[in-house]
Amino acid sequence: MKRTPQTFAEQMGLDLTKNTPMPLFLWLVAANLFSARISADQALRAAKALKEAGLTTADHMAEATWKERVVILNRNGYARFDEKTSRFLQDMADHCRAEYGGDLRRLREAAGRDPGSERRLLKEFKGIGETGVDIFFREAQVAWDELHPFADARSLDAARALGLGDSAEAVADLVPREKLPTLLTALLRADLDGALDEIRKS
């Protein structure tokens, strides 16, 4: 965790512990971006750029033009997917407004705070599949306690490679509850950076 002291959401300047509409929506947007076949650094850069441009809520995202979103994405490492992703972001914002009044906490309540139902409803957003939901769950569990303990497959593979456990419960036992997303992010980053062997030897 010393190598990666912050989650991706924290690197975006989002405080998911507040469980408020803006960070939750932006983290779902980020989950869409991180799901593409693009580096994590490029996806993070694009997510930060959308936030800095003020597209921080479903309303703001929907009110931006397709071209405005394309330009932001194109200039921030997302050139290969900018046009398709701009459409996804419009659809996501429209769906969030129509179904949940722009507030993903209403999705949580509609799902009865059941992780399986939350997964199903999140997958109704364009561009969010199983991987996208896993990304969202990995960090949203700090606010939605019914998700804890959750570990996405890639982070769990890294934990297993380092001898830290082979289940979300085992990994969660290593750190305070609120630090599990940080540990998972550190494991994922180590894997992405090809540093697992180096860490294992040290």
Side-chain angles (χ1 to χ4, degrees):
M1 286 168 57
K2 291 180 180 178
R3 296 168 60 103
T4 309
Q6 289 184 308
T7 66
F8 287 115
E10 288 169 344
Q11 290 176 62
M12 289 175 61
L14 303 179
D15 184 356
L16 294 176
T17 64
K18 292 182 176 180
N19 193 35
T20 50
M22 186 275 278
L24 288 171
F25 176 74
L26 262 183
W27 181 239
L28 186 62
V29 166
N32 181 317
L33 299 179
F34 279 105
S35 297
R37 292 183 179 179
I38 193 169
S39 76
D41 288 334
Q42 287 174 298
L44 180 61
R45 178 180 164 193
K48 285 180 176 179
L50 290 167
K51 178 175 180 281
E52 289 165 3
L55 307 190
T56 55
T57 65
D59 285 340
H60 292 157
M61 187 68 75
E63 289 163 2
T65 67
W66 174 82
K67 181 64 174 179
E68 286 170 338
R69 291 190 300 271
V70 166
V71 169
I72 294 168
L73 293 168
N74 187 275
R75 289 177 177 173
N76 290 278
Y78 225 80
R80 287 173 53 204
F81 304 96
D82 53 0
E83 297 185 4
K84 179 178 74 173
T85 301
S86 180
R87 289 192 295 272
F88 281 168
L89 296 181
Q90 180 74 57
D91 289 341
M92 288 177 68
D94 289 342
H95 183 68
C96 191
R97 294 204 298 179
E99 296 297 324
Y100 309 112
D103 187 349
L104 288 174
R105 294 175 301 183
R106 295 181 181 178
L107 178 149
R108 184 189 188 195
E109 299 310 319
R113 301 196 177 194
D114 172 67
S117 297
E118 289 165 349
R119 178 176 291 274
R120 176 179 56 81
L121 292 178
L122 285 168
K123 286 169 63 180
E124 292 179 358
F125 284 86
K126 286 286 182 66
I128 298 293
E130 293 291 344
T131 298
V133 175
D134 285 352
I135 292 167
F136 182 82
F137 276 10
R138 186 177 66 228
E139 301 200 24
Q141 65 182 308
V142 297
W144 295 7
D145 55 9
E146 66 274 14
L147 299 177
H148 182 88
F150 176 83
D152 59 287
R154 188 157 186 182
S155 296
L156 199 54
D157 284 345
R160 191 177 295 112
L162 295 175
L164 298 179
D166 58 5
S167 69
E169 291 77 10
V171 176
D173 284 343
L174 301 174
V175 290
R177 183 186 183 99
E178 70 276 7
K179 288 297 183 181
L180 179 56
T182 308
L183 175 57
L184 296 175
T185 303
L187 289 167
L188 176 61
R189 173 60 77 179
D191 187 17
L192 293 173
D193 292 346
L196 290 178
D197 284 342
E198 175 191 341
I199 294 171
R200 187 163 45 234
K201 289 174 183 176
S202 64

